[in-house]
Amino acid sequence: MNPLENINKLKKILESFVEDIAKLIVTKNWVSLLLLVDAGWILFFSPVIVDKLLQFTIDFKLPEENSVTYWVIYGLVAFTIFLTALVIAVRIIQREPPSLPDFTERKAIKGLRAFSQDDAEIFAQLQRERDLRECLESLTSNNFRFGILMGESGVGKSSFLQAGILPQLAREESCAQGIYIRFSNRDPFETIYQTLVKELKISETSINHRNLLEIFSLGVASADKPLILIFDQFEQFFVHCKQKSDREPFIKGLKDWYLAPNPLRIKILISIRGDLADRMFEIQKALGYSLSPQEVFLLERFSPTEATKILQVIAQAEELKFDEGFVRQLTAEELASREDGLISPVDLQVLAWTIEGQDSKELQAFSWNAFHKIGGIEGLMTRFLNKTLEARVTESQKQAAIKVLLAMTDLDRNVRVGALTIEDLQQKMLGTLTTSEIIEATLWLASPGVRLLTPVQQNGNLVYELAHERLILALREVAGKELTSADKANQLLDRRVNEWLGNERSARYLFNWQELRLIRRQIPFLVWGRNKRNKEKLLQRSWKRLYQQLVAVAMVLVFSLVGMGWWYGPMGQIQQVRWKLADLGKEGDYEYRQKAAIAFLKDGSLKQTSAIANSILDSDDKAEVLTAIAETYGKLENFPEAAQSLEQAIAAADSITGSYSKALVLTAIAETYGKLENFPEAAQSLELVIAAADSITGSYSKAWVLTAIAETYGKLENFPEAAQSLELVIAAADSIT
């Protein structure tokens, strides 16, 4: 086998081993952990292995008497660890109920979940007979087309519909077929279409999925009986279609159905929370209906007497001890609301679930003793939530569970956000929790032993939603103590948006990057309120400004890097030399100026060369510089540029007063023209040299220059022009005394 494969195999074994140990520590499985330590002690610390290890490493062998002592210590340690693990295991078994934990769905105790159609038998005993009878009579009457079921959160509307109404409509003798449609954050058209396809076993067709009348017609054509469509959790329609323009297509579809000349065999019952029932006015106005008392159903909470009977049914179904006298007093004095004396069904379920979940059979009872040991009824839902979250092993796991629950909640309206997939949660909680934390927390919250989230199959996808809205207020209280960062983010957002609006949306009230980072991490837990649009604009402008600042910084950084690259690169280095040479040409002595002028000359900077030459005032110094420049031009062998600069040198030489110095420069210029070997231009330029030589007063110096000019004409080898120019030389020589 390849050595690399062996290394990878060993790595995987070690990873698995470390993960197993970590799980034992996190889950506090001390028995397995101690037995693992015991096995390690027995395997690696036996006297034989230790003796061989000492011989191999330091060439030392245990004396025989020490070997006996070591064997005794070795055996005692191994036995002690094993005995400790055994004692812990015995104590754990004593604390646990004799039977294994039962995570199956309870018959009568649902906790925060609704009763389903399979629970019709037990639900029929839970004091809703009169409500069921009245509702069914209206639904099945010929005059009924549209109605509303409303009630406060926790009153049991979903249970009433699923375990009460639907089983009755499913009976063979029923004159109509009930279709249960749960609204969520999904598109309402798609929700209705997919439910009808599933329930009526319709083959999917190419109908317009945005046309409610076509969807209803498809359902009617596939059903043997008239349909009663039950829209549960209809408040989700208003929660997720916030703008009136978003709601218009669906409301128009309802209007087309309601006002159709040939009404379809469809009836609709809408279930909505009581505190949001006023939103139905928008639909009522569009449809132009006026509901009669037989078309509006109010589901109310229970009286203490009804609550007592319900708890008795639950106790019998779940085989819990029941003290009727205690329960009567409990429902009347503890559970009943102080305002109207009624009791919410969800409070009964939480109480029953809390009692049923106690560790010992003694406390699994509706009795004074069990009740007082539990801690009373005050804050039942909050205590229930806290107790559930205590099962989280670490604080980070507890925080993750709370954050997932909050992500399932619309805190502005105290409603559920709808059904979300794991991927939806990951997108919503981006930067708040890791993917593995979200998955672990969601699966735990939806597990049978917890049930704070309800898993639902939706179009082949597993989605989750908050088990019940009554949980939201308790969640607020628990989260208020745990999520200080979320509180800070909400307080900051509320304060800053008011300051921003009060100061004419001044840019100085925009968030800085640290504040934006805090808010971004808490996005799932922000309470937007009525100021949502302004808060979103404030955040949008703050992010825009931050991006602009980042772009500006990036551009400065880029330009700085480019500038540094140029400065330290060849071009930058050359330019720095030019600047240094320019300084030397202005301030240095004539030797430095001469070198600077020649350097600029070779660089092609003729203006700089001339400027340096003209800046020298001393005649002798200027002569030396100009002479050096002229000689350099002769080496460059580029006549056009050289001729131009030599003419400037001739003009500069005119300002030299000393005959010798002037002659020196002009001689060098004349000799340079001879090297350039371009007669027409050279002859013309040499005439300028002749004119300059005419001004030399010293005879010897003048003769020296004219001799050089004559020799240059001889090198040009073009007689007619040379003869003409030599006449000028002869004329100039005439003045030599």
Side-chain angles (χ1 to χ4, degrees):
M1 185 179 285
N2 192 322
L4 188 60
E5 292 180 2
N6 285 329
I7 292 172
N8 287 330
K9 187 176 180 181
L10 179 61
K11 174 177 166 287
K12 289 179 180 178
I13 293 171
L14 291 174
E15 280 180 355
S16 178
F17 180 66
V18 170
E19 286 177 2
D20 289 341
I21 295 176
K23 287 177 182 177
L24 293 176
I25 294 172
V26 169
T27 56
K28 298 181 179 179
N29 192 340
W30 306 125
V31 175
S32 297
L33 200 58
L34 283 170
L35 291 175
L36 182 64
V37 172
D38 201 28
W41 173 263
I42 294 170
L43 184 62
F44 297 109
F45 291 91
S46 71
V48 176
I49 292 177
V50 171
D51 197 32
K52 288 183 178 179
L53 185 63
L54 289 173
Q55 289 183 53
F56 178 75
T57 54
I58 59 176
D59 195 21
F60 175 78
K61 184 171 174 45
L62 284 173
E64 256 187 66
E65 59 273 15
N66 288 344
S67 296
V68 174
T69 306
Y70 192 90
W71 271 107
V72 173
I73 296 172
Y74 170 75
L76 284 173
V77 171
F79 179 72
T80 303
I81 296 174
F82 177 79
L83 188 62
T84 304
L86 181 62
V87 170
I88 293 174
V90 170
R91 295 192 65 179
I92 290 173
I93 292 171
Q94 287 176 343
R95 286 201 305 265
E96 290 178 347
S99 59
L100 292 173
D102 182 12
F103 290 132
T104 57
E105 191 75 22
R106 296 296 180 189
K107 186 177 180 181
I109 299 177
K110 299 294 179 180
L112 298 176
R113 294 188 185 177
F115 285 88
S116 67
Q117 198 164 345
D118 295 333
D119 303 311
E121 184 180 349
I122 190 71
F123 186 80
Q125 305 174 50
L126 300 182
Q127 304 298 304
R128 289 297 189 192
E129 301 92 337
R130 183 174 56 84
D131 295 319
L132 280 171
R133 185 176 60 255
E134 291 177 358
C135 187
L136 283 168
E137 285 177 356
S138 295
L139 286 174
T140 53
S141 70
N142 293 329
N143 297 326
F144 183 91
R145 291 193 64 205
F146 186 84
I148 299 174
L149 171 70
M150 57 185 178
E152 67 179 45
S153 177
V155 81
K157 298 183 294 297
S158 295
S159 296
F160 180 80
L161 294 171
Q162 292 184 92
I165 298 295
L166 285 177
Q168 294 298 321
L169 294 177
R171 296 168 65 180
E172 290 185 8
E173 60 268 25
S174 174
C175 61
Q177 180 179 353
I179 305 291
Y180 178 81
I181 302 172
R182 175 180 290 180
F183 277 63
S184 65
N185 53 327
R186 293 177 62 215
D187 177 69
F189 291 98
E190 195 65 23
T191 298
I192 295 171
Y193 173 74
Q194 291 295 341
T195 305
L196 290 177
V197 166
K198 179 183 176 182
E199 295 296 326
L200 299 175
K201 297 179 174 55
I202 303 172
S203 299
E204 294 199 32
T205 63
S206 58
I207 67 165
N208 183 0
H209 288 198
R210 302 290 295 177
N211 189 315
L212 201 58
L213 209 55
E214 285 191 33
I215 296 173
F216 284 173
S217 299
L218 179 66
V220 169
S222 305
D224 299 328
K225 302 178 182 179
L227 296 178
I228 299 177
L229 304 184
I230 299 172
F231 294 170
D232 194 15
Q233 296 183 14
F234 194 72
E235 61 272 3
Q236 294 288 321
F237 170 68
F238 295 103
V239 169
H240 295 287
C241 299
K242 296 180 175 63
Q243 304 296 326
K244 189 174 182 180
S245 57
D246 297 334
R247 298 189 294 270
E248 278 179 356
F250 185 74
I251 294 177
K252 182 182 181 300
L254 288 176
K255 181 180 179 181
D256 293 341
W257 158 76
Y258 192 75
L259 300 178
N262 300 313
L264 295 171
R265 296 189 305 162
I266 280 184
K267 303 177 181 182
I268 294 177
L269 176 65
I270 287 180
S271 173
I272 189 169
R273 255 174 49 176
D275 57 336
L276 295 174
D278 59 326
R279 301 296 300 272
M280 290 297 297
F281 177 75
E282 186 178 349
I283 296 177
Q284 179 179 343
K285 185 178 178 182
L287 272 60
Y289 68 79
S290 180
L291 295 178
S292 68
Q294 288 74 36
E295 295 167 328
V296 179
F297 311 101
L298 177 63
L299 209 59
E300 295 185 300
R301 290 172 294 157
F302 297 116
S303 67
T305 302
E306 291 172 327
T308 301
K309 293 178 181 178
I310 291 170
L311 290 176
Q312 187 172 14
V313 171
I314 291 174
Q316 290 173 353
E318 302 295 344
E319 299 180 354
L320 302 173
K321 294 179 182 178
F322 185 79
D323 183 340
E324 187 174 349
F326 157 72
V327 174
R328 286 184 182 278
Q329 187 173 350
L330 174 69
T331 54
E333 297 179 3
E334 299 286 353
L335 291 177
S337 167
R338 295 179 181 178
E339 296 177 0
D340 55 13
L342 299 179
I343 302 163
S344 174
V346 74
D347 287 342
L348 298 178
Q349 280 291 325
V350 169
L351 174 63
W353 196 12
T354 305
I355 289 174
E356 191 273 336
Q358 296 307 302
D359 294 334
S360 66
K361 284 291 184 181
E362 180 188 0
L363 297 180
Q364 292 176 349
F366 290 94
S367 65
W368 281 110
N369 183 42
F371 180 71
H372 286 300
K373 286 187 177 181
I374 289 171
I377 204 66
E378 190 65 34
L380 183 64
M381 189 66 72
T382 303
R383 185 180 290 109
F384 160 73
L385 181 58
N386 274 322
K387 183 178 179 182
T388 304
L389 292 172
E390 282 174 5
R392 302 294 277 167
V393 176
T394 64
E395 184 62 25
S396 62
Q397 288 181 324
K398 182 179 179 182
Q399 291 285 331
I402 293 173
K403 289 179 179 180
V404 169
L405 288 173
L406 286 171
M408 294 286 188
T409 306
D410 183 343
L411 294 174
D412 288 340
R413 299 172 179 81
N414 284 333
V415 296
R416 290 173 280 204
V417 297
L420 302 178
T421 63
I422 294 288
E423 290 73 20
D424 294 333
L425 281 170
Q426 290 172 2
Q427 186 66 30
K428 189 173 183 180
M429 304 178 74
L430 189 65
T432 304
L433 294 175
T434 64
T435 300
S436 59
E437 287 175 330
I438 293 172
I439 293 173
E440 188 277 332
T442 304
L443 295 179
W444 181 82
L445 290 166
S447 63
V450 180
R451 300 192 295 183
L452 294 178
L453 293 182
T454 302
V456 180
Q457 285 291 338
Q458 197 175 81
N459 294 340
N461 295 322
L462 185 62
V463 296
Y464 301 88
E465 63 180 358
L466 198 67
H468 205 283
E469 288 174 347
R470 280 298 293 270
L471 191 64
I472 295 174
L473 293 179
L475 181 59
R476 275 182 175 277
E477 185 174 342
V478 172
K481 297 173 183 176
E482 302 290 342
L483 297 177
T484 55
S485 295
D487 292 336
K488 288 178 182 178
N490 277 304
Q491 290 171 6
L492 173 64
L493 187 57
D494 288 336
R495 184 184 74 251
R496 189 63 59 80
V497 75
N498 290 327
E499 292 173 344
W500 183 61
L501 294 173
N503 290 274
E504 299 179 351
R505 302 174 188 261
S506 171
R508 69 191 186 95
Y509 290 98
L510 298 178
F511 295 108
N512 59 40
W513 74 270
Q514 288 178 319
E515 293 169 335
L516 286 170
R517 183 170 175 268
L518 169 65
I519 292 172
R520 185 175 185 176
R521 290 173 67 91
Q522 304 302 326
I523 280 179
F525 321 119
L526 295 178
V527 180
W528 297 100
R530 295 180 179 179
N531 245 344
K532 180 177 181 180
R533 187 169 296 179
N534 288 321
K535 288 179 179 179
E536 288 175 339
K537 284 184 179 178
L538 175 59
L539 286 170
Q540 184 181 7
R541 292 191 185 180
S542 298
W543 280 112
K544 184 178 179 181
R545 185 181 71 169
L546 179 62
Y547 292 144
Q548 289 172 343
Q549 291 172 343
L550 290 174
V551 169
V553 170
M555 290 182 69
V556 170
L557 186 61
V558 168
F559 284 128
S560 299
L561 291 173
V562 170
M564 288 177 65
W566 176 85
W567 182 265
Y568 291 104
M571 296 301 296
Q573 293 291 304
I574 291 171
Q575 184 59 49
Q576 291 177 63
V577 171
R578 287 172 179 160
W579 289 332
K580 187 65 177 176
L581 286 172
D583 292 339
L584 290 173
K586 293 176 183 177
E587 300 173 0
D589 58 28
Y590 86 94
E591 290 184 5
Y592 285 115
R593 293 189 182 193
Q594 177 182 317
K595 292 177 180 178
I598 291 172
F600 278 124
L601 180 62
K602 292 181 177 180
D603 189 48
S605 302
L606 303 181
K607 289 184 179 179
Q608 289 283 5
T609 305
S610 299
I612 292 173
N614 290 327
S615 68
I616 301 173
L617 301 177
D618 185 82
S619 296
D620 294 337
D621 294 345
K622 181 180 282 191
E624 289 196 31
V625 171
L626 290 173
T627 300
I629 290 172
E631 291 173 350
T632 303
Y633 274 124
K635 296 174 182 176
L636 296 178
E637 298 179 354
N638 189 334
F639 182 81
E641 289 184 10
Q644 182 184 354
S645 293
L646 285 172
E647 287 176 4
Q648 293 176 359
I650 295 168
D654 257 345
S655 63
I656 299 175
T657 55
S659 296
Y660 176 77
S661 299
K662 192 171 187 177
L664 183 67
V665 176
L666 293 175
T667 299
I669 292 173
E671 291 174 349
T672 299
Y673 276 121
K675 294 176 182 177
L676 296 176
E677 298 178 353
N678 192 320
F679 176 76
E681 289 84 355
Q684 188 177 0
S685 298
L686 282 171
E687 291 176 0
L688 297 175
V689 180
I690 296 169
D694 243 351
S695 63
I696 299 174
T697 56
S699 298
Y700 179 78
S701 299
K702 192 172 188 177
W704 181 22
V705 174
L706 293 175
T707 300
I709 293 171
E711 290 175 350
T712 299
Y713 276 121
K715 293 176 181 177
L716 296 178
E717 299 177 354
N718 191 321
F719 177 75
E721 289 81 357
Q724 187 178 356
S725 298
L726 281 171
E727 290 178 0
L728 296 175
V729 177
I730 296 168
D734 269 345
S735 62
I736 298 175
T737 58

